[in-house]
Structure formats: C-alpha cells, structure tokens
Amino acid sequence: MALTQSPEKISIPQARKLVLHSQRLPGSAGRGPSSVATLNALEHLGYIQIDTISVVERAHHHTLWNRNSRYQNGHIDELIADKTAFEYWSHAAAYLPMRDYRFSLPRKRAIKSGAQDHWFQRDPKVIRYVYDRIKSEGPLMAKDFEHSGKRVGEWEVKPAKKALETLYMQGDLMICRRQNFHKVYDLTERVLPGNVQDTFPSEDEHARFMIRQYLTCNGLAQTGDFSYLLKGVKPAIVRALQQMVGDGELTTVRVGEASYYTLPESLALLGKPLSRRKLKILSPFDNLLIQRHRMRDLFNFDYQIECYVPAAKRKYGYFCLPILWDSQLVARLDGKADRKSGILKILSLHHEPSLKKVDEFRNDLEIALADFARFNGCDVVEFL
C-alpha cells in the first residue's frame, strides 16, 4: 500500500534507537515489586512466545529477563494464578496480558465457526466427552485421559488431546496453569477473572488495537508487519492505517529508501539516551527478532535459527543466541547450560563484520556472561 503523506527522514542509527527503546532493550531493573515489573514488560510487549527448547533457559523466561533484570522464573506462574496473564496464541503459542483478552476472541470465533482452519480435525463426540469430563471433574491434563493403555472408553488418547487443543483454541477451555510444563485445562468461565472485558471487538477496533500495540513495542512498521502470520486481518489493517494516518494518529518516516509507520509520540524516544555499553544475549525467539526481515533491513543482521537445520549444514550452531551491544546486533553465541555441573558451556562465538571495538565488546561480554550463567543456574562459564 502506498503511504499517503510525505514522510520525514530518519537515519538507520535513529531507526535502531527507536526500535530498541520501544522494545525496552537493553532493559532495566524496573520499578516496584519484581513480579509487577514482569507484568509491565509483558503488557508493554503484548505477548511473549513460549518455547520448549531448554539448552538455555526457555524463550519466555529469557525474553522477560532481558527486560527485567530482577525476573524470576516463577513470575509467569504467579501472573497466571493472579489472572493478570493468560496463555493463548499470538503468531505462535504465547503468554499474553489478561487486559487484552477480548482481542483473542476474533481468532477463537473464527476457529469455532470453521471460518479459520485449526490443525486438528474436529471430532464432535470426543470434543463433547472431553468438555463434559472437565466440566464435572475440574481441571485436567491430557494424561488424565489415559486409562488402561491406549483407550479411554471408545476413544484413544490421541483424539482426546486433539479435542483438548481444539476446545482451547476455540475458546471453550483455557490453560489455568502448567504442571511440569504440561498444560492443565479448565472451562473458560472458571478461569477468567470477573472484571475482564470480554466484549467482542469490531473489525476496525481489532485492527486499530493490533496497529497501536505493534508500534508501541516495535517503534516502526511496514504494512505487512502488522499481520505477520495472521490470517484474514490485512484488509481491515490497511483500512485502519489509512484512517489513522489521515487523522494524525500515525505518522510516517523514511529510513533509507523504505517508508515506515510510527506513532507520533514515539519520535520523542529519539532524544532519549540509549545504554550502548550494556550487552544483552538474546533468545532466538525474542520479540525484537521474530520478524527476521526487519533485522536484515534495519540492523543488517541476517539471522536463522539452526536447530531445525541438519547438523552438517549449520553455520553458527544448534541454538545460536544473537548478541545486542552498542545499539547493534554484533555477534552470535552458541551456548548450552549444563545445570548438573553448573557450567555454562560456550560452544562457539562469531563476530559480525560490523563489530569494530572488539576489546570493549569482549570486556562487556564477560560481564554479561557471568549474569547469563547465573540466570541459567550455572556458576562457571567455560569456552570450549
């Protein structure tokens, strides 16, 4: 879509500064109780992706720790128990702020109505059976449907798990907690707090929410960024963008040859100092990095997670962690936390061509690795 006004120009360094401030990176200790600082970080970012890979701390913990240096792994469970956060789907499985619950409803309605496909084939009998058991027995996990081997009455366990996920994705069930990282499902009406807003948003309201949320935590965006991995929302977003620019709610800036949307108030961040010496070791699933094309365009950083690449074809390592320093992505570190021995093992470290102040970087990396080791339950850093 063509932008409808003559945008002002900002430099690449300014664009990076705007993005990093909006992402709250390099991060800080936050204010007030540490769990409140975690909730503030989650509400600002809008979601935190959940991931099961644990060679270092899982992505949801890692991402929040990089925004709140006082973060503790139990905070997410606290937020779920306090009903200030909930688990659902963003572009992937995620933790989201409960205050934004109503904006999960369009996806749920679309899945329930069949307007949007779900990855499991629907079996009405199994779905009713699973729902009725949870209704009568209370919260259950998938393993609670195992009985005498493979079958529960007439149905196998695998269909029951599919039914659980279908009911969850269409909004009849929610995750009330996790137990050893396994989902515990309950009826939505028993999980939602009484004060949550659950009115269904209009198409325009939903589009405006997505636009403002994205720009609040990312600073800059092009049209396709707002609907990343989301189905059926782009036409409404395009209409809302046109109206919001026309009404002055959004402005546009030019970075090199590319045009971006931003919030007018976000431009004030360009006058705010950025901590350049504070180094951050990022998760591959950090909110900053999710849309890889943005990192190429704005940070000149071409990143691919290689855990899904055959070992012989990996260039940087199984779970290579990008390193943010001096307002740039300057290196990649492949590490593994050996929690039994208490050793954070550094398997490889690769500098980007843009890294010039190598000695300063190494000094700051040493400090950051000591913190990262403690975060991962280790007390020794070992380069292999």
Side-chain angles (χ1 to χ4, degrees):
M1 161 185 151
L3 301 181
T4 57
Q5 66 181 49
S6 177
E8 70 172 274
K9 294 181 180 180
I10 64 173
S11 66
I12 286 285
Q14 286 178 311
R16 291 172 180 168
K17 186 177 188 180
L18 180 54
V19 170
L20 293 175
H21 273 313
S22 298
Q23 276 286 314
R24 294 191 175 174
L25 286 170
S28 67
R31 297 179 179 178
S34 58
S35 60
V36 173
T38 295
L39 177 59
N40 289 340
L42 176 62
E43 289 183 336
H44 178 78
L45 293 174
Y47 76 95
I48 297 292
Q49 184 171 336
I50 302 170
D51 192 65
T52 58
I53 298 173
S54 58
V55 291
V56 294
E57 276 293 357
R58 289 187 171 103
H60 40 286
H61 298 309
H62 190 170
T63 300
L64 287 168
W65 176 73
N66 269 328
R67 273 73 178 182
N68 171 20
S69 60
R70 296 180 294 145
Y71 175 78
Q72 299 172 25
N73 287 10
H75 282 174
I76 290 177
D77 291 340
E78 288 181 36
L79 300 184
I80 296 293
D82 292 343
K83 300 188 176 185
T84 52
F86 73 106
E87 187 172 331
Y88 192 58
W89 201 260
S90 179
H91 70 278
Y95 294 108
L96 301 102
M98 187 65 79
R99 70 174 190 187
D100 298 337
Y101 171 78
R102 61 193 294 257
F103 295 105
S104 71
L105 297 177
R107 181 192 290 269
K108 291 171 179 175
R109 177 183 286 184
I111 290 172
K112 191 165 189 175
S113 69
Q116 182 172 325
D117 292 334
H118 181 47
W119 48 83
F120 291 140
Q121 187 174 358
R122 190 180 298 271
D123 187 326
K125 285 187 177 180
V126 181
I127 287 173
R128 172 51 59 184
Y129 167 74
V130 167
Y131 182 87
D132 286 347
R133 273 199 61 187
I134 291 177
K135 184 177 181 179
S136 62
E137 297 176 34
L140 295 173
M141 294 187 287
K143 70 172 185 145
D144 294 319
F145 292 87
E146 296 180 18
H147 181 72
S148 299
K150 293 184 178 180
R151 306 185 77 84
V152 179
E154 186 177 347
W155 299 288
E156 292 184 358
V157 173
K158 189 174 180 180
K161 172 63 176 176
K162 291 179 180 179
L164 284 166
E165 283 296 294
T166 298
L167 287 162
Y168 162 62
M169 288 300 295
Q170 71 184 28
D172 295 302
L173 300 180
M174 291 182 72
I175 310 302
C176 62
R177 64 182 184 276
R178 284 197 179 226
Q179 189 170 311
N180 296 324
F181 208 59
H182 296 290
K183 295 175 180 176
V184 181
Y185 302 83
D186 199 2
L187 302 187
T188 292
E189 57 263 35
R190 295 200 294 233
V191 176
L192 283 181
N195 61 350
V196 72
Q197 289 195 25
D198 60 357
T199 54
F200 195 88
S202 68
E203 187 178 62
D204 180 64
E205 187 181 11
H206 188 209
R208 287 169 178 264
F209 166 78
M210 288 190 288
I211 290 167
R212 292 200 67 90
Q213 177 61 56
Y214 189 95
L215 290 175
T216 296
C217 66
N218 288 286
L220 298 168
Q222 296 179 309
T223 303
D225 296 337
F226 299 107
S227 56
Y228 176 69
L229 294 182
L230 301 175
K231 295 181 179 179
V233 298
K234 190 171 182 179
I237 285 175
V238 169
R239 290 192 296 271
L241 286 170
Q242 291 174 331
Q243 293 168 356
M244 293 172 79
V245 170
D247 293 342
E249 295 178 59
L250 301 180
T251 190
T252 56
V253 295
R254 197 159 191 86
V255 183
E257 297 302 314
S259 293
Y260 291 84
Y261 295 99
T262 192
L263 298 169
E265 59 268 29
S266 293
L267 294 176
L269 295 172
L270 295 176
K272 181 181 177 182
L274 192 66
S275 179
R276 297 180 177 274
R277 290 295 301 270
K278 190 181 288 187
L279 186 149
K280 285 295 181 180
I281 301 165
L282 302 177
S283 166
F285 301 105
D286 192 281
N287 294 49
L288 174 70
L289 299 161
I290 289 299
Q291 295 187 23
R292 311 301 196 204
H293 71 278
R294 287 170 54 83
M295 296 301 97
R296 289 194 300 269
D297 295 345
L298 295 173
F299 287 81
N300 194 28
F301 188 73
D302 192 2
Y303 179 71
Q304 178 186 18
I305 186 170
E306 295 183 345
C307 56
Y308 308 116
V309 175
K313 295 184 178 180
R314 290 175 193 150
K315 185 176 179 181
Y316 299 108
Y318 174 81
F319 202 64
C320 197
L321 310 173
I323 297 179
L324 175 69
W325 183 74
D326 195 23
S327 304
Q328 299 182 68
L329 292 161
V330 298
R332 308 162 197 244
L333 180 151
D334 189 30
K336 181 177 181 179
D338 186 339
R339 297 172 182 90
K340 288 185 179 180
S341 67
I343 299 173
L344 175 65
K345 298 179 179 180
I346 309 304
L347 308 177
S348 67
L349 176 66
H350 300 268
H351 296 174
E352 292 294 294
S354 60
L355 179 60
K356 305 301 181 186
K357 304 172 185 177
V358 176
D359 290 341
E360 291 181 32
F361 166 76
R362 287 284 185 148
N363 289 336
D364 292 341
L365 177 62
E366 184 177 351
I367 296 168
L369 278 173
D371 289 339
F372 190 60
R374 286 189 289 271
F375 170 63
N376 279 278
C378 299
D379 49 24
V380 175
V381 177
E382 181 179 296
F383 281 81
L384 301 182

